[in-house]
Each structure stands twice: as structure tokens, then as C-alpha cells.
Amino acid sequence: MSFRQVFDAERLKRETERRARDDAERARQEADEARSLQLYEILAADPGFLAEKKLTLEHTRYTVMLEHTDFRLRAYFEDAQINVTAADKRSATTITAAPTKQEFVDSVEQALVVLAQYLADETV
């Protein structure tokens, strides 16, 4: 083999590896977004309950938020994990309240349970 052939083979190998990494990252992001939409749809299925608890439901890429005038509940989907947080807006000195509670879970069902626990903590 010539130097050129070895170089071209190395370049091709690296390009193939880069494409595989990009494809894997894209698939991960699509899965995270699909799971965030799944949680959003579960929460949106009962608008009466949300209104009763004075919650506004929002969805942005990878994130589901339940907003209340006094607190914010948030589920952020990344790398097949869900970061669920609760933040108290009553004592916040800035527009974004810092999380006061945080838990990492692996499934939409677990995120739903943690969100329910955090909501119960805030409304009891």
C-alpha cells in the first residue's frame, strides 16, 4: 500500500466513526424528546386537575414544566435520564428560581411520581 492509500483509508475510517457518533447522538436526542412529549401528554390529559392546582403546563425541547405563581416543577430529559426539580419562586430574588429539590430518574413513570410528590409537598 502507498502512503496515500493508507492516509485515505484512515480518513475514511475517521469519517465513518464520526457519522456513527453523530447518528447515535441524534437517536439519543430523538428518544429524549419523545419521552418528554410522552410526559407532557400524560400531564395535559387532565386540564381540569391542572386548573384546580393553578398550574400552567409548558413544553420546550427536552423539558416539561409545571408553573405556579409560587413554585416551578420541571422535568429535563438528557442522555436517557430525567432530572426532576422543584423550585420555590416565593423567595427568588431573580426571575429564575433555583431548584430546592432535585432527583434523577430513568422513566417517564418515575418522573410522574416524583412530580406528584413535589406537587404534594407544595400544596399540603
Side-chain angles (χ1 to χ4, degrees), residues 19 21-39 41 59-63 76-81 108:
R19 282 190 186 145
R21 282 191 309 272
D22 289 349
D23 290 346
E25 176 66 14
R26 190 172 13 269
R28 185 199 55 77
Q29 289 175 351
E30 289 171 0
D32 286 340
E33 181 62 9
R35 292 182 345 132
S36 74
L37 284 170
Q38 182 184 6
L39 178 61
E41 290 168 0
H59 178 268
T60 59
R61 193 165 191 198
Y62 312 121
T63 306
Y76 178 72
F77 294 72
E78 184 176 27
D79 290 332
Q81 234 185 3
V108 169

Side-chain angles (χ1 to χ4, degrees), residues 3-68:
F3 186 45
R4 176 183 294 272
Q5 289 171 323
V6 173
F7 172 77
D8 288 343
E10 180 62 26
R11 239 183 40 210
L12 181 61
K13 179 183 119 192
R14 289 181 185 193
E15 179 63 21
T16 302
E17 290 170 349
R18 184 193 61 77
R19 282 190 186 145
R21 282 191 309 272
D22 289 349
D23 290 346
E25 176 66 14
R26 190 172 13 269
R28 185 199 55 77
Q29 289 175 351
E30 289 171 0
D32 286 340
E33 181 62 9
R35 292 182 345 132
S36 74
L37 284 170
Q38 182 184 6
L39 178 61
Y40 175 82
E41 290 168 0
I42 290 169
L43 295 171
D46 193 349
F49 179 74
L50 297 175
E52 175 188 321
K53 297 299 179 187
K54 299 178 183 159
L55 295 169
T56 303
L57 178 62
E58 296 178 29
H59 178 268
T60 59
R61 193 165 191 198
Y62 312 121
T63 306
V64 175
M65 285 187 295
L66 291 165
E67 291 280 341
H68 185 273

